[in-house]
Amino acid sequence: MTTLRDVAREAGVSVATASRAINGHSNVTAPTKAAVLAAVKKLNFVPHSGARSLTRRKTDTVGVILPDLFGEFFSEIIRGIDLVAHESGMHLLLGNMHGSTHETAAAIAAMRGRVDGLLVMPPDVKPELLSGYLDPALPTVLLNYDAGSLDLPFVAVDNYHGAYAMTEALLARGAKQVVHIAGPKHNRDARDRQRGFADAMAKIAKVQSPAILPGDFSEESGAQAARLLVQGRLPADAVFAANDQMAVGLIAELAASGMSVPGDILVAGFDDIPLARHLNPSLTTMQVNIDRLGSTAMMMLLRILRGETLAAASATILTPTLVARGTTGGAAGSAVAAKAPVLGAHG
């Protein structure tokens, strides 16, 4: 393997001079820099990123810590982050907290000294605990987490109003008995979506205790909810799943039970993962533009790394858009504003 010493020998300069030339220092003459770069090219030398980071005190790497790395939702977030990071010459170091508070602390600790900044999505971690895990000197942007007490910048989705709008739309479509499949109990997104559903049912349908089935954002929990609906004969003419993944599992299990969507029951989800538009019938959902969640957070972190001071007041709240598709009898792909109640006619 070619070393910096080999490059220096080829260029006829000291190792220190070769290092300064490669790292773009101004105290190197143009002819010397040209000789060093020619030697780099000739010897196919690749600078050691760790050694360079010690010199420059930069790693050109951003840490990304998510509750999970599996599934279309998280892959879309990573895609959005990477799109912006790549254009800026930054690399990503991924960490997985597996939904555990303990592993969140370990994942954050593992990033120290290895990244220039941090993007964290800690939906189940209390602000006071998260504060103890984070390094105040490390630029950090939170994803889908409003922790104003930490005064950190964040990017989040308006889950409450998105869920309210979807429930309102199902009721306007003619549904009388809407069932909600909730997400994990300790997940902030899930709680806000359940609250939006419950408030819409109370205010519009005058139902104070609507039917809510347990779920955990997985396809299997959606399938389990379908079995509870069918076997328990729970009255329902519409189901609003707290995410698309559960809606997918629900639809598959309903079909296996001989029920037609949307003929026998309307189904809606939340997030608009890529699979949602490819189902048959395609899934009515709240479109979050998941990759935008990631790209917006990455752009915010780059601003901090370039010297701007950002805090909670700099937060970006993304408003989801209701997209009416086949599972509610709406026109495939028709989008309406989040507050609009109508999904479309049967067709």
Side-chain angles (χ1 to χ4, degrees), residues 243-331:
N243 78 339
D244 291 345
Q245 210 72 35
M246 293 193 296
V248 169
L250 172 85
I251 291 169
E253 189 67 24
L254 289 176
S257 301
M259 293 187 67
S260 168
V261 177
D264 296 323
I265 191 167
L266 308 181
V267 176
F270 204 115
D271 289 334
D272 197 25
I273 61 176
L275 178 61
R277 67 209 68 167
H278 299 302
L279 292 176
N280 186 21
S282 53
L283 180 64
T284 290
T285 186
M286 293 304 300
Q287 186 179 76
V288 174
N289 289 327
I290 307 167
D291 60 332
R292 186 182 165 207
L293 185 65
S295 62
T296 302
M298 184 64 212
M299 286 188 286
M300 191 174 286
L301 183 59
L302 284 175
R303 289 170 59 191
I304 300 173
L305 293 175
R306 290 166 182 166
E308 289 190 50
T309 299
L310 300 182
S314 307
T316 297
I317 306 297
L318 303 179
T319 302
T321 301
L322 195 158
V323 180
R325 296 194 180 109
T327 57
T328 57

Side-chain angles (χ1 to χ4, degrees), residues 68-188:
D68 202 341
L69 300 179
F70 175 78
E72 290 190 272
F73 180 83
F74 296 111
S75 66
E76 282 295 291
I77 287 179
I78 294 170
R79 186 173 71 85
I81 294 171
D82 186 59
L83 181 67
V84 176
H86 180 72
E87 289 296 319
S88 304
M90 304 287 284
H91 305 286
L92 301 184
L93 181 61
L94 302 180
N96 188 340
M97 62 183 68
H98 300 283
S100 161
T101 298
H102 172 73
E103 293 198 38
T104 300
I108 292 174
M111 294 289 180
R112 288 174 184 157
R114 304 170 68 187
V115 298
D116 297 331
L118 204 57
L119 297 175
V120 187
M121 180 186 286
D124 303 334
V125 183
K126 294 180 179 179
E128 56 270 22
L129 289 176
L130 184 60
S131 176
Y133 301 155
L134 295 172
D135 180 354
L138 184 65
T140 300
V141 174
L142 303 177
L143 285 148
N144 257 15
Y145 191 83
D146 178 2
S149 59
L150 301 183
D151 203 23
L152 289 174
F154 64 90
V155 181
V157 175
D158 190 347
N159 291 295
Y160 173 83
H161 287 103
Y164 190 104
M166 179 60 79
T167 308
E168 182 181 21
L170 288 168
L171 293 170
R173 175 66 185 80
K176 303 295 184 185
Q177 296 167 314
V178 185
V179 173
H180 181 59
I181 308 177
K185 290 182 179 179
H186 302 296
N187 183 283
R188 183 181 296 265

